[in-house]
């Protein structure tokens, strides 16, 4: 019952909470993070994100369209027979001095969805040249929250390039863990198609991936398939791979990274031993510790870079620090900037 109450109080799918936390983090980052030893020194101030100039996120989704994919909720929790590629038009927060955004309460808003096609090759054409950032969401997410979190992430790390949301069918319910897990894994072939189209596009830049929670299972499996198809030749096309609070069994994770060759060297894991959502997930999984809640040394032995964010979270759940914590976002940005082709 205690865990249930904690999760009922959790609103990591709630955009308003994340925006509020982001505002507080920005206002108090010097005090809250100045003595942090787990994440290192604060990076340089970064330029504006590409989203600030063109508030458009490309979307690839394996969800079944709702209302023809043209009106809210656009795409629902059911599994589609084919993937849809679309453009999500966003409205950025008003950041004037007297706006809600100025005190951390403003928010991105999803204005409309413009379907493009069901072909991953069209996604590559829409992305154009330059680097691409793909966000893969986790458990308990609607299509809209997934797209808005993509915008929060891209704008938060000041990414310069095209941003893509990959949204798989989640029922967005507290007790739909099994359905969501199966839907994520069911989507792995389509996500591998997306990656394949992007890495093989002529003149394209590097592909950076940030996957959260349950989305890490899907991402890791798709990377394994991608490496099986292209081998070492794909290494230079994949940039940073960031697994934020990965909800995956340690043994499964270890086995998978042994099968992706040099791509394993691209991985950064953001973990927190006080992640309550992953603690519950571990109980559901028969007491098996999830990678995102494991000790730093145990993860590092698997040969990937690890960032311990246990001291950064001051909330109850501590499962979405990559969206609510400014220093964790700097870690992601530095991972992208430090990746060499």
């Amino acid at each position: 019952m205690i865990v249930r109450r904690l999760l009922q109080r959790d609103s990591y799918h709630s955009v308003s909470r994340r925006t509020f936390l982001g505002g507080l983090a920005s206002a108090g980052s010097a005090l809250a993070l100045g003595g942090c030893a787990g994440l290192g020194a604060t990076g340089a101030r970064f330029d504006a994100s590409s989203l600030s100039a063109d508030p458009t996120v490309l979307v690839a989704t394996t969800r079944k369209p709702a209302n023809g994919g043209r009106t809210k909720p656009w795409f629902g929790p059911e599994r589609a027979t084919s993937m849809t590629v679309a453009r999500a038009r966003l409205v950025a927060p008003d950041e004037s001095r007297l706006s809600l955004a100025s005190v951390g309460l403003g928010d991105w808003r999803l204005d409309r969805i413009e379907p493009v096609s069901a072909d991953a090759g069209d996604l590559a054409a829409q992305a154009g040249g330059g680097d691409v950032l793909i966000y893969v969401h986790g458990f308990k997410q609607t299509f809209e929250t997934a797209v808005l979190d993509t915008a929060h992430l891209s704008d938060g790390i000041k990414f310069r390039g095209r941003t893509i949301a990959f949204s798989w069918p989640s029922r967005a319910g507290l007790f739909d863990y099994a359905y969501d897990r199966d839907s994520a894994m069911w989507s792995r072939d389509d996500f591998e198609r997306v990656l394949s189209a992007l890495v093989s596009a002529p003149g394209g830049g590097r592909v950076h991936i940030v996957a959260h929670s349950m989305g890490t299972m899907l991402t890791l499996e798709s990377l394994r398939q991608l490496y099986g198809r292209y081998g070492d030749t794909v290494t230079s096309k994949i940039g940073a791979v960031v697994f934020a609070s990965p909800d995956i069994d340690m043994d499964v994770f270890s086995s998978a990274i042994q099968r992706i060759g040099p791509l394993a060297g691209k991985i950064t894991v953001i973990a927190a031993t006080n992640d309550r959502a992953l603690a519950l997930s571990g109980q559901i999984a028969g007491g098996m510790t999830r990678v995102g809640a494991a000790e730093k040394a145990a993860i590092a032995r698997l040969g990937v870079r690890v960032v311990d964010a246990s001291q950064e979270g001051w909330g109850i759940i501590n499962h979405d620090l990559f969206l609510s914590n400014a220093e964790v976002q700097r870690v992601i940005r530095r991972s992208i900037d430090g990746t060499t082709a």
Side-chain angles (χ1 to χ4, degrees):
M1 287 297 295
I2 294 175
V3 173
R4 182 174 177 180
R5 287 195 199 100
L6 287 176
L7 284 177
Q8 285 174 333
R9 291 177 64 183
D10 172 26
S11 57
Y12 83 84
H13 67 289
S14 168
V15 176
S16 60
R17 173 184 177 271
R18 288 174 172 174
T19 307
F20 179 66
L21 287 175
L24 290 178
S26 298
S29 60
L31 292 175
L33 301 174
C36 171
L39 296 179
T42 300
R45 295 175 66 91
F46 300 118
D47 52 2
S49 68
S50 291
L51 277 182
S52 62
D54 178 15
T56 302
V57 168
L58 294 175
V59 177
T61 182
T62 53
R63 295 173 183 259
K64 186 177 180 179
N67 304 320
R70 295 186 180 277
T71 59
K72 194 172 182 176
W74 298 288
F75 294 88
E78 295 83 14
R79 300 164 186 166
T81 56
S82 62
M83 183 174 66
T84 298
V85 175
R87 284 184 297 268
R89 303 292 186 181
L90 302 164
V91 177
D94 177 10
E95 296 186 351
S96 60
R97 289 184 60 190
L98 299 180
S99 68
L100 289 175
S102 66
V103 292
L105 296 177
D107 199 7
W108 288 86
R109 180 166 56 85
L110 181 53
D111 186 44
R112 64 186 185 277
I113 299 293
E114 301 170 353
V116 175
S117 72
D119 190 277
D122 288 337
L123 181 69
Q126 291 287 326
D131 284 11
V132 171
L133 172 67
I134 306 178
Y135 173 62
V136 184
H137 65 80
F139 167 63
K140 200 160 71 86
Q141 291 280 288
T142 67
F143 173 78
E144 183 174 14
T145 59
V147 172
L148 291 175
D149 282 351
T150 305
H152 291 148
L153 172 67
S154 182
D155 193 46
I157 67 173
K158 308 303 179 187
F159 183 71
R160 300 292 294 176
R162 181 62 74 181
T163 299
I164 300 173
F166 185 83
S167 183
W168 47 271
S170 165
R171 280 185 175 159
L174 181 62
F175 301 107
D176 291 313
Y177 186 89
Y179 177 85
D180 278 19
R181 180 187 58 208
D182 291 344
S183 291
M185 294 305 291
W186 172 81
S187 301
R188 65 189 184 275
D189 289 343
D190 280 316
F191 188 49
E192 192 260 333
R193 285 176 55 213
V194 168
L195 294 176
S196 181
L198 291 171
V199 300
S200 61
R206 295 169 299 162
V207 179
H208 308 286
I209 307 168
V210 177
H212 179 228
S213 189
M214 193 177 284
T216 58
M217 291 195 304
L218 156 63
T219 300
L220 192 55
E221 181 65 14
S222 297
L223 286 174
R224 187 188 64 79
Q225 294 178 187
L226 187 75
Y227 184 73
R229 174 181 297 197
Y230 292 101
D232 291 350
T233 59
V234 77
T235 305
S236 64
K237 299 294 291 184
I238 299 294
V241 178
V242 178
F243 290 155
S245 307
D247 184 3
I248 184 171
D249 180 285
M250 288 284 286
D251 293 334
V252 174
F253 184 74
S254 176
S255 176
I257 63 173
Q258 292 175 25
R259 288 167 171 77
I260 60 174
L263 293 182
K266 310 276 188 172
I267 296 175
T268 297
V269 173
I270 299 174
T273 55
N274 55 359
D275 186 323
R276 273 72 174 184
L278 292 184
L280 179 60
S281 175
Q283 292 179 23
I284 294 173
M288 301 299 291
T289 300
R290 316 316 278 169
V291 172
E295 296 288 344
K296 179 177 180 179
I299 306 170
R301 282 197 293 270
L302 303 179
V304 299
R305 181 188 177 217
V306 187
V307 173
D308 184 0
S310 300
Q311 302 303 313
E312 303 311 305
W314 50 270
I316 296 174
I317 304 300
N318 297 326
H319 190 58
D320 63 349
L321 297 176
F322 74 110
L323 289 175
S324 63
N325 187 282
E327 184 60 23
V328 174
Q329 289 186 336
R330 290 188 185 99
V331 167
I332 297 173
R333 176 62 189 253
R334 289 196 295 267
S335 296
I336 292 173
D337 290 345
T339 303
T340 57

